[in-house]
Amino acid sequence: MKIPLIIGNWKMNLLSSEAANIAKAIQDFSKNIPNVNVILAPPFTSLHTVKQILLNSNVSLACQNFYFKQKGAYTGEVSIEMVKDAGCQYAIVGHSERRKLFNESNEIINKKLVCAVKNDIRVVLCVGENQVQRNKGKTFEIIETQVQQALTNISSKELENICIAYEPVWAIGTGVNASVNQVEEVHDFIRKIIKKIANDKNFYCNVLYGGSVNSQNCKDFLLCKEVEGVLVGGASLDINSFCDIISTASTI
Ligand code: PGA
């Protein structure tokens, strides 16, 4: 039986008190739903508050970003040890907003990934093509490059602590989600690449879908054999929508 992974990426939203309200509601709702793995990714400033709320619950905490250096003169940055200290068990790496708005290259993403796994933090690696790349028929090429470069120098043992979120850039925050067919073929492709990297034809990697997931369309994705869960942006800021997604996942 698959245990779906439902991740709420709050991005740069919510003050601590608002984050606390949502976290309390999600924690409370998830109490009686043991067959879904729920993860919340608040902004740095709410990590501590949300961690206190999630103590002794089955909801986990993720950071949306960190810097790969251990410590030192990096004004404005936060290290992996710091996010771990703040209670994170997971880190989102390579989100398309980081790639596009903050110029994160595959090389930087790889450094972050190596840093996270060495520090026992599980990684949600985001990959995805933009609209122009899809229109030009370059989706698979882009995905392969992103996955391969991000996973350079990662051992097959370390791969076990990484899941991949396929998030087509054109579907993020647009209200236009990918079709189930599009998701299935890319997920299948990602699994093949991972098997090659792990050098193990039986290696199984969790692959999630993200991009305009909401309480109405989540079932279509969660029912797919190829989809282990969803990464939710906008709809994770609404308690009812996110609880509906968790509830739908529990019935799959
Ligand atoms: P969205 O964001 O659900 O608002 O499209 C998804 C994401 O960016 O992870």
Side-chain angles (χ1 to χ4, degrees), residues 194-215:
I194 300 292
K195 282 179 182 166
K196 234 194 278 168
I197 295 174
N199 199 16
D200 175 357
K201 64 178 179 3
N202 296 317
F203 191 89
Y204 195 81
C205 173
N206 280 353
V207 188
L208 320 176
Y209 169 70
S212 296
V213 173
N214 57 39
S215 53

Side-chain angles (χ1 to χ4, degrees), residues 181-199:
N181 280 350
Q182 287 169 325
V183 172
E184 277 181 331
E185 63 176 10
V186 176
H187 280 214
D188 186 50
F189 181 69
I190 291 173
R191 288 223 169 81
K192 287 195 178 117
I193 306 172
I194 300 292
K195 282 179 182 166
K196 234 194 278 168
I197 295 174
N199 199 16

Side-chain angles (χ1 to χ4, degrees), residues 39 61-66 80 83 88-93 112 116 121-125 163:
I39 301 171
L61 193 65
C63 60
Q64 301 172 17
N65 184 36
F66 63 90
I80 198 78
V83 294
C88 293
Q89 300 106 314
Y90 290 82
I92 298 175
V93 176
K112 291 189 174 189
I121 293 285
R122 290 174 172 264
V123 172
V124 181
L125 167 67
C163 77

